Amino acid sequence: MDMFDPRTMVMDYDFPHEDGCDHGDFSFAFNNSKFSDRVLHIAIYSEPMDSTLSPSVIVEDMHISSPILAARSPFFYKLFTNGMKESEERDVTLRINASEKAAFMELLNFMYSNNLTFTTVTALLDVLVIADKFDVPSCVRYCGHLLRNLPMEPKSVLLYLDLPSTILTAEGLRSLTVAAKQFYAVHYKDITKYQDEIHRLPLESVEAIISSDDLKVATEDDVYVFVIKWARTHYPEREDHRIILMSRIAKFIRFPYMTHGMLTNLLTCNEFDPEFAQEVVTEAISFNAEVPRRQHEYEQGFVKRAYKYQPVKMVKFEQPYPYHVVYVDLKRDVCASLFPLGHVCSEAFNVGGKGFYLSFQCSETVKTLQERSFRILLGTMEKVSISFAVDYEFAVLSKPNEKFVKKCHGSYIFEVKKTRYANSFFVTSWKLFIGKDSVYFIDDVFHLSDKLNVRELDNKELNGI
């Protein structure tokens, strides 16, 4: 007698019976010959440890009611009504793997009783997979209902995301999939802290983590470096990890928020197709060149993450002399978190061969320790070995005209072995800066423009040192 394997059956018909309604409790008829019209022979295949041996087969018999099974499953409906000789015979044989036996028996029990006895995540997921395989949608939904009420843990979430895509997108399971991804995004929010653990996770889990807007990283460079290392680990062949990076992972990298140095690295990186690298770098540079800074967080797809170091955008001009304009945006909640004596720094940027960063601080005023002020300082990334001058011009986007307004300008000399901080370029009362009626926040974002030029000292400046 021929055996039916559910994976070989094609469902190309309309099945009218599965309406999602309760079909009643027929548990009394389960494996009961008095209420059954057929015998199901379950051929259970066990793969031997020795590959030279043939699989062992154990056949177990079950008394089944074809109307009950057909009412719950398009697979069994097709099996009993396909017009072939086997569909008219009393005995029917199905093939399953030994690892599927417990879940399959639980599925048969559900088709009679509308209930499951399994209660653990692992066991319910096994039933879920077998219910999808034998096309029992009511059981798929019921498993999803039970799983949503169980606590999520890293190991169980990993099992959720490892399910076949047909199950993950099924009705009643979409919310579970979303919840699983959110769990990963929150649990592994700090990829630096959990880097070794995350490196062992599969693709679906990594996608859920790096797609989060709340990812805790110093800069977007950290995400870029992490995914390349992960891809090399899981897909050793260059062509394989290049395909994975470009087709699955790259869409989650916020390229416009990467530093200029790392974008340059991307152009010569063998992990990406050269044309793809050129395209995303050009797009990032184009975004960085847009002024004034009133974009919609990169057109919905590239929201700025909660970076430890605030991203900068930099534009270089050659006329009337070489200079750079550095742009930084700070959200109101980031600024508010600086009170009473906090600070946050921008990511590093290069001007005239020198590395700099900006520091935004809430500090005590000079006149009275009871008052606070908001100030911006310019710092160098390394000790000064040769004195040099920086010409600066700070401007902020402010109300009511919402245009950049110059706040200060001048020159500052970074001397050898002196402090790596320049004087405060911008200082204002904390209350005036952060208050509800502040002129410095446009849509709850503080926009700063910093025009910088690095040059050698002239004779007058040299004599003044």
Side-chain angles (χ1 to χ4, degrees):
M1 181 180 298
D2 294 335
M3 289 184 292
F4 286 88
D5 188 327
R7 289 163 289 194
T8 66
M9 298 191 67
V10 179
M11 303 301 173
D12 56 356
Y13 59 93
D14 293 328
F15 177 69
H17 300 284
E18 181 55 59
D19 55 7
C21 299
D22 189 341
H23 290 260
D25 183 0
F26 297 100
S27 55
F28 64 87
F30 182 66
N31 199 22
N32 190 322
S33 60
K34 295 180 180 180
F35 299 98
S36 304
D37 61 331
R38 297 175 187 257
V39 175
L40 177 64
H41 302 290
I42 308 172
I44 305 169
Y45 282 69
S46 298
E47 293 293 336
M49 300 298 290
D50 188 343
S51 59
T52 62
L53 301 177
S54 301
S56 59
V57 182
I58 299 175
V59 179
E60 295 188 6
D61 296 338
M62 291 282 298
H63 295 282
I64 59 172
S65 169
S66 58
I68 293 177
L69 269 58
R72 307 309 298 271
S73 163
F75 169 81
F76 284 102
Y77 180 85
K78 180 72 172 179
L79 179 62
F80 300 138
T81 62
N82 61 9
M84 299 176 64
K85 179 181 178 181
E86 291 81 0
S87 66
E88 299 176 359
E89 294 183 353
R90 185 174 182 273
D91 291 7
V92 180
T93 303
L94 287 180
R95 169 180 172 171
I96 62 171
N97 296 323
S99 60
E100 299 174 319
K101 178 185 175 182
F104 181 71
M105 298 303 294
E106 184 76 354
L107 175 65
L108 288 178
N109 178 69
F110 173 86
M111 296 170 75
Y112 279 83
S113 66
N114 292 308
N115 192 29
L116 292 173
T117 61
F118 288 179
T119 57
T120 66
V121 171
T122 303
L124 287 172
L125 288 175
D126 288 342
V127 176
L128 178 62
V129 171
I130 208 72
D132 177 69
K133 178 178 177 179
F134 286 96
D135 204 359
V136 187
S138 58
C139 188
V140 171
R141 290 193 294 271
Y142 191 71
C143 287
H145 168 73
L146 295 178
L147 288 168
R148 283 194 297 274
N149 289 283
L150 292 177
M152 283 194 173
E153 298 176 351
K155 291 183 179 180
S156 62
V157 175
L158 183 60
L159 295 174
Y160 293 146
L161 297 180
D162 198 37
L163 291 170
S165 58
T166 54
I167 298 178
L168 292 175
T169 57
E171 181 184 355
L173 289 175
R174 296 187 186 94
S175 61
L176 182 64
T177 305
V178 172
K181 290 182 177 180
Q182 289 176 340
F183 177 90
Y184 257 130
V186 173
H187 184 77
Y188 294 112
K189 185 176 182 178
D190 189 343
I191 64 172
T192 303
K193 180 179 179 180
Y194 295 102
Q195 190 163 160
D196 292 340
E197 190 173 338
I198 300 174
H199 266 295
R200 295 192 292 270
L201 296 176
L203 175 60
E204 292 77 9
S205 303
V206 170
E207 287 179 318
I209 294 169
I210 65 173
S211 64
S212 171
D213 294 338
D214 298 322
L215 198 62
K216 186 178 179 181
V217 289
T219 69
E220 192 66 24
D221 291 0
D222 294 342
V223 180
Y224 171 75
V225 172
F226 166 78
V227 297
I228 288 180
K229 289 182 178 179
W230 178 90
R232 288 173 177 170
T233 300
H234 289 260
Y235 302 89
E237 296 297 327
R238 177 181 295 176
E239 191 58 31
D240 292 338
H241 62 240
R242 173 182 281 190
I243 292 174
I244 289 296
L245 282 169
M246 293 194 300
S247 64
R248 296 288 297 271
I249 296 180
K251 60 186 177 183
F252 300 118
I253 302 175
R254 317 291 165 87
F255 292 105
Y257 294 116
M258 285 170 51
T259 63
H260 183 269
M262 199 58 74
L263 288 174
T264 302
N265 172 274
L266 174 58
L267 289 174
T268 58
C269 178
N270 293 327
E271 314 303 331
F272 291 90
D273 179 81
E275 292 185 5
F276 173 84
Q278 184 66 52
E279 179 181 348
V280 296
V281 170
T282 300
E283 185 181 47
I285 293 175
S286 176
F287 173 68
N288 290 337
E290 291 181 12
V291 291
R293 315 265 288 124
R294 296 294 312 278
Q295 308 100 325
H296 290 288
E297 297 284 7
Y298 208 103
E299 299 299 329
Q300 302 176 357
F302 290 94
V303 176
K304 188 189 303 180
R305 304 186 204 262
Y307 300 111
K308 179 180 179 180
Y309 300 114
Q310 300 300 306
V312 303
K313 294 182 181 180
M314 189 165 62
V315 184
K316 183 178 181 180
F317 296 90
E318 297 296 339
Q319 298 295 331
Y321 57 86
Y323 67 93
H324 293 75
V325 179
V326 177
Y327 298 95
V328 183
D329 295 344
L330 291 180
K331 292 184 177 180
R332 183 186 288 269
D333 59 352
V334 173
C335 294
S337 69
L338 303 181
F339 186 86
L341 294 172
H343 75 279
V344 64
C345 296
S346 76
E347 63 187 17
F349 54 89
N350 189 288
V351 177
K354 309 291 185 182
F356 297 95
Y357 66 95
L358 292 168
S359 177
F360 303 87
Q361 304 179 0
C362 176
S363 60
E364 298 170 336
T365 61
V366 176
K367 295 181 180 180
T368 170
L369 299 181
Q370 278 69 44
E371 294 183 5
R372 298 287 184 269
S373 62
F374 175 76
R375 61 184 63 229
I376 304 173
L377 299 89
L378 178 70
T380 59
M381 295 300 296
E382 61 278 323
K383 292 183 179 180
V384 178
S385 57
I386 300 177
S387 299
F388 62 91
V390 175
D391 300 326
Y392 62 86
E393 180 179 299
F394 276 70
V396 297
L397 200 66
S398 61
K399 301 173 182 177
N401 298 325
E402 298 187 6
K403 294 182 178 180
F404 278 104
V405 177
K406 183 169 63 176
K407 291 297 180 179
C408 60
H409 71 284
S411 297
Y412 185 84
I413 297 175
F414 284 90
E415 299 181 39
V416 177
K417 298 181 181 180
K418 297 289 185 179
T419 177
R420 289 162 57 183
Y421 276 119
N423 291 331
S424 299
F425 288 117
F426 176 79
V427 182
T428 187
S429 163
W430 177 259
K431 291 182 179 179
L432 293 177
F433 173 72
I434 204 69
K436 182 179 179 181
D437 298 326
S438 171
V439 299
Y440 298 113
F441 288 91
I442 311 297
D443 297 329
D444 282 336
V445 178
F446 172 66
H447 303 271
L448 172 72
S449 166
D450 181 13
K451 181 179 177 181
L452 296 173
N453 175 46
V454 175
R455 58 178 176 81
E456 297 180 356
L457 301 178
D458 57 30
N459 292 330
K460 183 179 179 180
E461 292 169 325
L462 285 171
N463 293 332
I465 298 180

